[in-house]
Amino acid sequence: MQIVVKIRVISAQNEKSDLIFKIQRNLKIFELQKIIHSKLDVDVSAQKLYYGGKELVADSSIRDYNIHDGDVIWLMRTSENPAKKKKYDDETKKIRELKNCSSAYYKIGDLVDVMYSEFGAWFEAKIIEILVDQNNDNAEENLIFKVVMDRNEETAPITVTFNNVRPRAKYIYSFSELQNEMIVFVNYNIEEPTKRGYWYDFKITNINREKNTLEGNLIMGLSREAVVHDCIVKFVDEVMKIEQPTLITNRKIETNEEIPLRKLPPYCSKCKDVSTRDCKECSCRICGRKTYISILIICDECQCSYHVFCLNPPLENVPLDEEWYCPNCKRDENEIVRAGEKLKTIKRKLNRIKLLKNQFGPVIGIEVGACWKYRNQLPECGIHGSPKNDIHGNHSKGVFSIILNGNDEESQDKGEEFYFTLSNNHRTTTRVIGVQESGVFVNKMIKTLSLNCNNYKMRNNGFGVADVWKHGKPVRVIRNSTVARSKYGPESGYRYDGIYKVVEYFPEISKFDAVVWRFLMRRDDSAAPPWLVIQIDTISFHLDPNIEYFMKKDSENKALWDECSKELENGKATFLETVKRLFTCVCCHEILHMPVTTKCLHNICHDCLINCFASDIHFCPTCRTDLEKSCSLRINDNLQAALKLLFPGNGFNR
């Protein structure tokens, strides 16, 4: 996949000087540097590329840094001699040739600021050792300081030269003290100037005391050749003085007072780097705990962390493989087509069945009277979970749906109510039973369907709740065209006839001298029975008064509801299709659930908007209007109520 990236030299003052390249996402950084060299004549060894505040490593790829189409990569030119630098690096690695010494300006334990070349910014550190090459004298420019970073004391120390270290900044200027041409120490984010970033030297060019703003040029690195012009500092109350090295003999009386660490952008925007707060973004993706860091492993694909004992199945030790992939990223080996093999067809379960696995009541988007030609279409749309059996349910919860196919001669179908008979010859779903013995088989079926009755206790002589039957659990009823003895069945295929409930159930002896159980099912659905509706698509649809009430109260979406109302004369199906089209969330592509109406009058699910804010996306997903972090996430109750009445079951398992 190709993307377009912009290369912007840090010293450039405008975007017109950007180099625009069309590159592959798997392109290595050193290959990109060669392309830049061919255009700018800047040697590869003199290039430092930055993205997201970090220096890009030569052996990594564009994909590793999650660089997107249209992003800007910053280029800093260095005047350092690469041959000399390599020689110096080789010498500093030879610790045996270094000896301890002292400095006239620093001593072990001093708190300092260190130039970290990877970012081109200054970070807090502490001197733990002062060294010098045995072949050199003790001049300050020959000294090598071994320092440990204050924020990461557990990491290995780094070595820097005298010019890369200076006393820790501690004095904060008041705004009245600042003057033009002063070089100060500021916090700035190169890519997002309104957010907190790293600490750089800054030359003031303009001070607006009325608006309390500070403008100037940002200085990166030690050479001071990399300058970002016309920067506006946001954190003007944190401008600090750059401390200069002072002879130890001239120091004032020292105190043991610790200099507080400066503010930096949090590594994790979700937990704000609070060590006591569990976070699945920066720690284990399963448990979120920030403990047992030594056994956290990182997926080479998604870069998420996992404790070895949190995985399913858990791992005993950290894997020694060069590459490791988490369960979400690991590809099924059965899907891999190896050399000489034919393409494979991988059968997967439909997501719709999984989502509606244990749902009582109507299925969103399926109206009473909906028809299907073949039985295997029923589980595909979620109306009936079993492709082979007449009953779909859970033995601990009840029955969700049944198919009335007329196989039982003694079942009396009167449309609004019918007797559903269970016997040894009746087929049932293995989800309900899971047992093959006929006696247990039937008892399990009876107990499962009896759970839908208002009284959950089953008696040997049956039970009836004629007065309060409407409080039982709903059962979706699908009639089959094979109901030959009933005038209420469809002409062909299968038809959804609405919600029924168990009124009573009891045992009796059939004409074949077998014990059967009869369940009286009675219709309890506000929609008209499909056998009474004629040309439903051509007659106008009249809204329920409750729906009209909430539509009128939803003044924020008046224009959308007016557009929907124009389709009432074209029938219910057309009206509902229009509602679904206008009130579908752009994030999850589902009908709105707990909707929030933004200031730009767009509707988004509450949970979807929360996820956007958690990802630092503070604009409308529809029109990209800026939304403040403190904006109201008030749920539009009127819209929610109207959609719930129009689409019963909306929001199930969401």
Side-chain angles (χ1 to χ4, degrees), residues 268-272 274 276-290:
C268 178
S269 58
K270 186 173 183 180
C271 69
K272 306 300 181 185
V274 179
T276 56
R277 183 185 300 175
D278 292 347
C279 179
K280 295 183 180 181
E281 292 296 323
C282 61
S283 188
C284 177
R285 185 52 66 97
I286 297 176
C287 70
R289 289 178 293 176
K290 298 180 180 179

Side-chain angles (χ1 to χ4, degrees), residues 409-428:
E409 295 182 359
E410 300 185 27
S411 291
Q412 304 170 19
D413 188 2
K414 299 180 181 179
E416 288 288 342
E417 64 179 34
F418 61 87
Y419 280 98
F420 189 70
T421 305
L422 293 179
S423 65
N424 287 343
N425 295 325
H426 199 285
R427 294 188 300 169
T428 187

Side-chain angles (χ1 to χ4, degrees), residues 144-157:
I144 298 172
F145 297 88
K146 185 180 288 188
V147 300
V148 62
M149 310 305 290
D150 274 8
R151 299 176 192 270
N152 298 288
E153 294 184 357
E154 69 277 3
T155 58

